[in-house]
Amino acid sequence: MIEESNNKKTALVCGAGGFIGGHLVKRLKKEGFWVRGVDIKEHEFSKTEADEFVVGDLRDPRVVEKVIDMPFDEVYQLAADMGGAGYVFSGKHDADVMHNSALCNLNVMHYGQIAGVKKIFYSSSACIYPEYNQMDPNNPTCSEDSAYPAAPDSEYGWEKLFSERMFFSYHRNYNVDVRVARFHNIFGPEGTWNNGKEKAPAAMCRKVSEASDGDAIEVWGDGEQTRSFLYIDECLDAVRRFMDSDFIGPLNIGSREMISINGLVDMVMNIAGKQLPITHIDGPLGVRGRTSDNTLIKEKLHWEPTESLRSGMEKTYHWIDEQVKKNK
Ligand code: NAD
């Protein structure tokens, strides 16, 4: 490995078998990095492009010590026990989410510091923002400085907040060069779409793709809750720019194009060329409104995403439609 990686920058992607991690491996390879990926499972939808891929449990310190056996130029800690609203807001997985994700974060940060990694990226989430600022669907506040007094509406958010603080503590006490990003609903092809952990864009694409004429599309709540969604390629543009900057975060990485869940379903039906009725049913909802505040990213990285939601949703719908057909 040492010979292969000679003269190349080295990166470790934790969570490389997942949605964002899988895409990040491809991006880093394109940029010329030598990449090691690690995940508890292999990627479900494509063959990894990592130079090495370790199947291992990052909750186990012995695994993490072995995986971080050199001072990588860049470590990306994306591994987490996570899912969409149906997974994190049902309350049924709170203990696992907190325990599993915290252990991965603690181990990666601890052994990363010992191995002398040059830079470490942590993916926090918009779910850390206080519920009291996100009651109005048209005017949510999610600027980076609005995180405290803390009041996330899920244990997933509380764990992320703890881990952000843990990464910043290693920066202060051990001088580790960290980058902490808060992702806002990232979506795209090659992500979970049918196992109960999928998020709204994938779930809506699947429901519309599977529906025959006359079938109704089920939406949780009244569907008037708003969100913004960021296409995976733009998310990675932001992550790579952030890594190359001097700013440590926290930094929102998200889109400002807000849409209601009803609006998202209409968009998907329009892409699919189907007109289907919508039924509103009870289900886990999350906050009433949320969107990314991009003032800081514009100031620090001189950049913000520009691709329209419609364009990203078209690519995502076509990929999910293919999966639905393959699984029939
Ligand atoms: P994902 O579930 O597709 O990827 C996470 C990966 O971590 C999975 O492949 C999973 O197998 C792996 N993992 C979980 N426990 C592990 C363990 N004990 N050991 C090794 N690997 C383990 O999710 P994603 O959408 O790619 O998210 C990546 C990161 O970004 C996560 O930290 C997530 O919380 C964060 N994030 C994502 C979004 C989003 O919209 N996708 C939004 C906010 C934050």
Side-chain angles (χ1 to χ4, degrees):
M1 189 282 296
I2 300 283
E3 270 173 32
E4 277 177 53
S5 67
N6 258 351
N7 303 322
K8 284 187 178 176
K9 279 179 102 179
T10 52
L12 173 70
V13 178
C14 303
F19 166 53
I20 301 173
H23 284 280
L24 179 61
V25 168
K26 291 183 195 173
R27 168 70 63 106
L28 292 170
K29 284 305 300 170
K30 255 191 216 133
E31 289 185 26
F33 278 77
W34 183 92
V35 181
R36 179 180 291 163
V38 55
D39 202 294
I40 203 164
K41 61 164 178 68
E42 279 175 7
H43 201 287
E44 284 145 84
F45 307 115
S46 63
K47 192 176 167 314
T48 184
E49 291 181 17
D51 297 274
E52 279 181 19
F53 190 94
V54 180
V55 175
D57 188 341
L58 295 167
R59 290 171 301 184
D60 182 344
R62 289 162 304 185
V63 169
V64 182
E65 190 176 16
K66 271 198 204 143
V67 163
I68 313 185
D69 60 355
M70 61 173 179
F72 283 94
D73 291 305
E74 300 188 0
V75 170
Y76 294 85
Q77 173 21 20
L78 305 169
D81 189 352
M82 66 90 71
Y87 190 74
V88 298
F89 296 123
S90 70
K92 289 182 191 151
H93 310 284
D94 289 349
D96 288 345
V97 164
M98 296 194 91
H99 177 260
N100 295 339
S101 299
L103 281 182
C104 293
N105 289 326
L106 287 162
N107 286 334
V108 171
M109 187 64 261
H110 177 68
Y111 288 104
Q113 184 265 321
I114 289 175
V117 302
K118 310 241 173 31
K119 235 180 244 182
I120 181 158
F121 174 92
Y122 173 57
S123 50
S124 180
S125 165
C127 289
I128 64 99
Y129 287 114
E131 189 173 16
Y132 56 77
N133 278 335
Q134 301 171 86
M135 309 297 255
D136 177 353
N138 299 313
N139 274 308
T141 303
C142 292
S143 55
E144 287 83 348
D145 60 3
S146 70
Y148 296 94
D153 68 336
S154 67
E155 302 308 339
Y156 170 74
W158 279 106
E159 188 285 322
K160 288 285 188 198
L161 207 50
F162 160 76
S163 289
E164 284 191 1
R165 301 188 69 100
M166 193 266 297
F167 278 87
F168 285 128
S169 299
Y170 272 79
H171 173 70
R172 286 196 307 277
N173 297 164
Y174 293 105
N175 211 17
V176 183
D177 200 5
V178 300
R179 298 287 180 279
V180 173
R182 293 175 180 157
F183 288 159
H184 289 243
N185 286 318
I186 315 303
F187 76 101
E190 300 193 357
T192 294
W193 61 279
N194 67 346
N195 69 358
K197 285 189 161 189
E198 64 276 16
K199 297 182 143 211
M204 295 313 163
C205 289
R206 187 199 67 235
K207 289 179 187 188
V208 170
S209 169
E210 286 175 345
S212 313
D213 270 357
D215 286 352
I217 301 299
E218 288 185 343
V219 169
W220 292 339
D222 64 7
E224 293 304 315
Q225 62 274 32
T226 54
R227 292 292 183 277
S228 65
F229 302 95
L230 181 69
Y231 191 64
I232 181 68
D233 291 356
E234 293 209 297
C235 168
L236 296 181
D237 289 344
V239 169
R240 296 292 302 121
R241 278 169 188 264
F242 187 23
M243 280 302 257
D244 288 342
S245 77
D246 293 331
F247 184 54
I248 64 169
L251 185 69
N252 286 335
I253 294 186
S255 159
R256 282 189 299 136
E257 186 183 341
M258 266 209 292
I259 190 166
S260 69
I261 300 300
N262 290 333
L264 185 69
V265 181
D266 283 342
M267 183 182 279
V268 176
M269 291 197 287
N270 188 274
I271 292 168
K274 294 183 180 182
Q275 265 312 317
L276 305 159
I278 297 179
T279 332
H280 295 281
I281 58 165
D282 281 346
L285 293 178
V287 294
R288 204 60 192 141
R290 172 173 292 155
T291 189
S292 184
D293 181 322
N294 287 346
T295 314
L296 194 61
I297 198 167
K298 280 194 274 183
E299 181 196 319
K300 298 291 180 187
L301 306 186
H302 309 291
W303 180 90
E304 76 165 327
T306 50
E307 182 167 346
S308 69
L309 175 62
R310 166 91 193 195
S311 146
M313 284 304 289
E314 283 174 2
K315 293 178 253 187
T316 307
Y317 179 78
H318 293 307
W319 181 80
I320 290 180
D321 193 41
E322 271 171 30
Q323 309 307 305
V324 168
K325 287 179 179 137
K326 267 193 222 160
N327 277 261
K328 262 189 182 159

